[in-house]
Amino acid sequence: MAQMIKVVKSKYPYEETVKRIKERTEELGWSVIGEHDLAEKVGVKLTIIEVCNKDFAKRALEKPENRWISAFMPCHFSVVENPDGVYVYSMNMGAFAGMVPPELGEVLSEVAKVDEEIIGSIL
């Protein structure tokens, strides 16, 4: 089974990585709905960027029996400064798509493509 968490090393410094993820998200028609700088709380440089797209969210939540998926919303990108560089962690939506009902899997597969576009901005 594919890893549930994707790990990507950024070629940019920490602040530039955060900036690029947010900019690319907006360029793709998604919204940055939250940004949490947790450095003071956890003792390491860590920013969690929450992103969402209302059309994808609406499709995922249409059927009441699928609304459990809301526990995984919005999509998160965690930007962390490690000793050997800056890393971005995110849920592997492509792998998760195969574990859910087909109508949700279709939405998550599309989200996975957008996630790849966003991550591509730091490679």
Side-chain angles (χ1 to χ4, degrees), residues 40-88:
E40 287 187 31
K41 303 265 186 213
V42 299
V44 298
K45 259 184 151 173
L46 166 63
T47 298
I48 297 174
I49 304 165
E50 298 174 323
V51 305
C52 192
N53 177 286
K54 66 180 180 177
D55 297 327
F56 283 97
K58 182 178 179 183
R59 285 176 49 209
L61 299 171
E62 278 179 328
K63 292 184 177 181
E65 64 269 22
N66 289 335
R67 292 188 179 154
W68 59 267
I69 195 73
S70 64
F72 296 94
M73 297 168 74
C75 296
H76 295 85
F77 294 95
S78 297
V79 181
V80 181
E81 187 170 74
N82 288 336
D84 66 332
V86 175
Y87 287 81
V88 176

Side-chain angles (χ1 to χ4, degrees), residues 4-33:
M4 291 306 300
I5 302 297
K6 294 181 88 170
V7 181
V8 177
K9 186 173 183 181
S10 177
K11 70 178 185 178
Y12 298 99
Y14 183 86
E15 289 79 12
E16 180 72 12
T17 299
V18 170
K19 179 181 173 226
R20 286 177 164 272
I21 288 173
K22 293 182 340 187
E23 286 176 350
R24 188 65 181 138
T25 296
E26 305 250 339
E27 288 169 0
L28 293 169
W30 284 53
S31 298
V32 174
I33 60 170

Side-chain angles (χ1 to χ4, degrees), residues 28 30 56 77 109-119:
L28 293 169
W30 284 53
F56 283 97
F77 294 95
S109 292
E110 293 176 43
V111 169
K113 292 175 187 172
V114 175
D115 283 358
E116 288 296 321
E117 288 283 327
I118 292 170
I119 292 295

Side-chain angles (χ1 to χ4, degrees), residues 1-6 91-99:
M1 178 168 86
Q3 293 290 331
M4 291 306 300
I5 302 297
K6 294 181 88 170
M91 186 158 195
N92 185 341
M93 290 297 184
F96 192 45
M99 301 176 173

